[in-house]
């Protein structure tokens, strides 16, 4: 028996070659996953910016009147707190959001690489607009 591989053998132990329809479905799925991640990253960046804006305002109050009353919406319920209680919570939330953004950005980067590899593997090139 010969151990030479032929062009009809499966590449690198992968499954059978994909049909054109499977390639198209995978392409669309990968593209949609990247769009979803990008959208979520954008939402979270806006939320982090809002936290930063609120913190900027509250830190001025914190320096002058730490016991001043403020209101915070938590799970749809408006609660009364003091500025000195709210500021650390907002910082923690903002930092958590930024960590999630970093995690999603890493997932996006990996997904983009997978998408690029898939396009190269299947010879997919964008059609130039005319």
């Amino acid at each position: 028996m010969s151990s030479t591989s032929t062009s009809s053998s499966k590449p690198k132990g992968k499954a059978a070659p994909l049909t054109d329809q499977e390639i198209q479905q995978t392409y669309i799925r990968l593209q949609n996953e990247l769009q979803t991640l990008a959208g979520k990253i954008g939402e979270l960046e806006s939320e982090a910016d809002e936290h930063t804006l609120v913190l900027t305002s509250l830190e001025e109050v914190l320096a002058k009147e730490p016991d001043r009353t403020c209101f915070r919406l938590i799970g749809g319920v408006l609660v009364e707190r003091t500025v000195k209680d709210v500021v650390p919570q907002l910082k923690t939330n903002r930092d958590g959001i930024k960590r999630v953004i970093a995690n999603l950005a890493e997932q996006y980067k990996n997904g983009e690489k997978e998408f690029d590899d898939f396009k190269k593997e299947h010879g997919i090139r964008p059609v130039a607009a005319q």
Side-chain angles (χ1 to χ4, degrees), residues 97-116:
I97 292 168
K98 287 183 176 186
R99 282 192 298 276
V100 171
I101 291 169
N103 185 324
L104 289 175
E106 185 65 28
Q107 287 179 32
Y108 185 89
K109 183 178 160 187
N110 293 337
E112 204 171 34
K113 182 182 180 334
E114 179 184 356
F115 189 47
D116 288 343

Side-chain angles (χ1 to χ4, degrees), residues 61-112:
V61 175
L62 182 62
K64 297 175 186 172
E65 303 175 63
D67 292 319
R68 183 172 173 178
T69 300
C70 67
F71 294 89
R72 181 167 180 220
L73 192 63
I74 301 176
V77 178
L78 196 60
V79 294
E80 185 176 342
R81 298 280 189 257
T82 62
V83 173
K84 69 180 177 190
D85 294 332
V86 170
V87 168
Q89 295 169 351
L90 287 176
K91 285 181 180 179
T92 300
N93 286 358
R94 183 196 54 196
D95 295 345
I97 292 168
K98 287 183 176 186
R99 282 192 298 276
V100 171
I101 291 169
N103 185 324
L104 289 175
E106 185 65 28
Q107 287 179 32
Y108 185 89
K109 183 178 160 187
N110 293 337
E112 204 171 34

Side-chain angles (χ1 to χ4, degrees), residues 1 11 28-29 43 60 62 116:
M1 276 177 103
I28 291 169
R29 179 184 56 81
E43 280 178 41
E60 292 173 15
L62 182 62
D116 288 343

